Amino acid sequence: MYHYFVTSSRLQDLCSSLVSFATLDKNKTQLELEVLEACEGGSDGIINGGHTVLAFEQARNYKYDLTEARVKVTIHIGLTEDEAKDIALASNTSAPVDARSKVNARGDYKFLKQFLAQLEREQKTKFRIAYYQNQSGAPKSPQCNVNHLIKLMNCLDRNKYNPDSKSRTKHPPVSNTPSLSETERQRLSKLLPLLSKGLWIEQRLFQVIEEHITKPKRKGVVDLASIDPRKNTLLPDSRYSFGFSAPADIAMPIVAAYRVFLDEQYNWIIPFDDFAEDFLQHLWNNYYRKYLVSEKLALNTVGSKICRNPVIWDNLYVSAQSYLNQQLLKMVSSSTKREELKLVN
């Protein structure tokens, strides 16, 4: 049961228009509107300001003086915090509440917020993440959307997105907003330790792009599709800002290629720092840069389509497999030579 309290000097007449669910206090200075829930026999719909507006509108039609009217809303039932959030999210609004806001209201991002807080302390940095719609102080950059972080982790899930398995989904569907069921939260929790690596790959790719478009011989000319030097981009880590804009998902195919270097327990087969930089340069110089240049020459500039082209995802994944095999062969060869030296000695 909900109660609305409306105080005014002319409530006697206002009460007459709402007699079915209104009562006056003994001093006739406060009107209490009682709104019943459905289980109590009420049929007033979602409780919102419309009930009070209707009361005032009816009184105004009767020419009552409402200049001194004030509204105080008190909920007298035992709502939990989550239930109150659900009611707020269900309020009538001209702008729909996005899925991210609903997930945040349920508290489903807590595991991610706690991890980032720890990462901030370890790396002595600050993350700028928008967890809900119209969040105060959150940047508009799509890379700073919480869903972007989840996409980065998805790209490193070699178990769920493995072209070598019988799974129908070869590569992460970056166009979809990830759901956060209990099963999904458990899966993402296992991927959390990889998030810092995903962030590093994205940051390093943006640095490589910046180096490419600012070379003297290319001054004023950008030969990469979907790169706009007239705008800026912020990345989630507050240390990284760039003087050009790129599609939010531009790093995803590169990040996803790194999942080839993970085993089933999400451990790196080769220490990450031993290959990460060289591998990124390999992908950029031999595949991704050439791909973006060719798309620009073909006048294909729609960033989302370029980043989600399955051909480039396949090429990068196959290249990653080849690169890994070469590195493993080098390690075996080096180990064999060391054994031979030991035998000679």
Side-chain angles (χ1 to χ4, degrees):
M1 182 183 298
Y2 302 80
H3 294 79
Y4 283 69
F5 297 100
V6 184
T7 59
S8 172
S9 59
R10 293 295 305 279
L11 288 176
Q12 182 67 55
D13 294 325
L14 178 59
C15 185
S16 64
S17 66
L18 299 164
V19 67
S20 60
F21 61 104
T23 56
L24 277 169
D25 69 350
K26 61 181 180 179
N27 297 323
K28 297 183 179 181
T29 59
Q30 179 171 290
L31 172 66
E32 181 178 343
L33 309 181
E34 181 179 312
V35 183
L36 300 179
E37 296 182 72
C39 62
E40 299 171 312
S43 59
D44 297 298
I46 296 174
I47 308 305
N48 54 41
H51 297 83
T52 308
V53 171
L54 176 62
F56 285 137
E57 187 64 31
Q58 291 175 339
R60 187 177 290 108
N61 291 338
Y62 286 110
K63 309 300 181 184
Y64 299 143
D65 180 15
L66 300 177
T67 56
E68 297 181 21
R70 299 292 184 271
V71 177
K72 176 184 177 183
V73 179
T74 303
I75 300 177
H76 290 284
I77 63 174
L79 278 179
T80 65
E81 183 178 352
D82 288 339
E83 289 169 336
K85 288 176 181 177
D86 288 340
I87 290 175
L89 289 172
S91 298
N92 294 332
T93 175
S94 59
V97 178
D98 63 21
R100 171 192 51 171
S101 298
K102 296 177 182 178
V103 173
N104 182 70
R106 292 197 302 266
D108 291 352
Y109 291 137
K110 286 182 179 178
F111 78 104
L112 182 55
K113 292 178 181 179
Q114 292 171 351
F115 178 82
L116 288 177
Q118 178 183 345
L119 202 59
E120 285 179 337
R121 291 191 295 269
E122 293 174 355
Q123 299 186 356
K124 297 181 180 179
T125 187
K126 182 71 177 176
F127 290 100
R128 42 195 174 197
I129 309 297
Y131 293 99
Y132 54 88
Q133 202 169 357
N134 302 322
Q135 181 178 330
S136 177
K140 298 293 184 181
S141 179
Q143 279 88 348
C144 297
N145 188 316
V146 63
N147 289 336
H148 183 75
L149 299 184
I150 295 175
K151 289 179 182 180
L152 285 174
M153 288 190 287
N154 271 332
C155 284
L156 292 171
D157 192 344
R158 55 88 67 211
N159 292 325
K160 186 172 183 179
Y161 306 109
N162 187 349
D164 299 326
S165 69
K166 296 181 180 180
S167 172
R168 294 182 181 180
T169 307
K170 291 185 176 182
H171 303 292
V174 295
S175 59
N176 297 333
T177 301
S179 62
L180 276 186
S181 62
E182 180 59 32
T183 301
E184 279 291 279
R185 286 198 299 276
Q186 292 178 4
R187 180 181 69 87
L188 290 172
S189 294
K190 295 179 181 178
L191 293 169
L192 272 177
L194 300 175
L195 178 56
S196 61
K197 305 304 183 187
L199 290 169
W200 180 91
I201 298 167
E202 180 179 53
Q203 294 156 6
R204 190 68 189 99
L205 177 63
F206 268 70
Q207 290 171 339
V208 169
I209 292 174
E210 187 172 56
E211 292 168 3
H212 176 84
I213 66 176
T214 54
K215 286 184 177 181
K217 64 180 180 180
R218 293 191 180 88
K219 191 173 182 179
V221 177
V222 176
D223 60 351
L224 304 177
S226 76
I227 303 300
D228 188 347
R230 298 167 299 178
K231 301 177 181 178
N232 298 316
T233 298
L234 302 178
L235 294 188
D237 190 327
S238 60
R239 294 174 295 188
Y240 298 93
S241 302
F242 296 88
F244 66 90
S245 73
D249 298 333
I250 193 169
M252 298 300 173
I254 296 286
V255 176
Y258 277 76
R259 73 192 190 277
V260 171
F261 296 83
L262 291 164
D263 63 19
E264 293 182 355
Q265 285 72 45
Y266 302 115
N267 297 313
W268 296 103
I269 297 173
I270 301 175
F272 184 81
D273 293 339
D274 289 355
F275 76 93
E277 175 65 23
D278 184 72
F279 179 57
L280 188 141
Q281 295 292 342
H282 168 76
L283 293 181
W284 171 254
N285 291 313
N286 295 299
Y287 295 93
Y288 213 38
R289 178 182 60 80
K290 295 178 180 179
Y291 169 66
L292 294 179
V293 170
S294 66
E295 289 295 295
K296 182 65 175 286
L297 291 173
L299 302 180
N300 297 329
T301 59
V302 180
S304 58
K305 291 183 179 180
I306 291 170
C307 302
R308 295 164 190 168
N309 186 338
V311 174
I312 190 63
W313 287 72
D314 289 336
N315 288 343
L316 294 180
Y317 187 87
V318 172
S319 178
Q321 288 180 313
S322 176
Y323 183 96
L324 173 60
N325 290 335
Q326 292 175 13
Q327 298 304 309
L328 292 176
L329 285 174
K330 289 180 181 179
M331 293 171 63
V332 171
S333 176
S334 176
S335 177
T336 301
K337 289 180 180 179
R338 284 197 298 270
E339 289 298 324
E340 290 175 351
L341 287 173
K342 288 180 180 179
L343 290 174
V344 171
N345 293 332

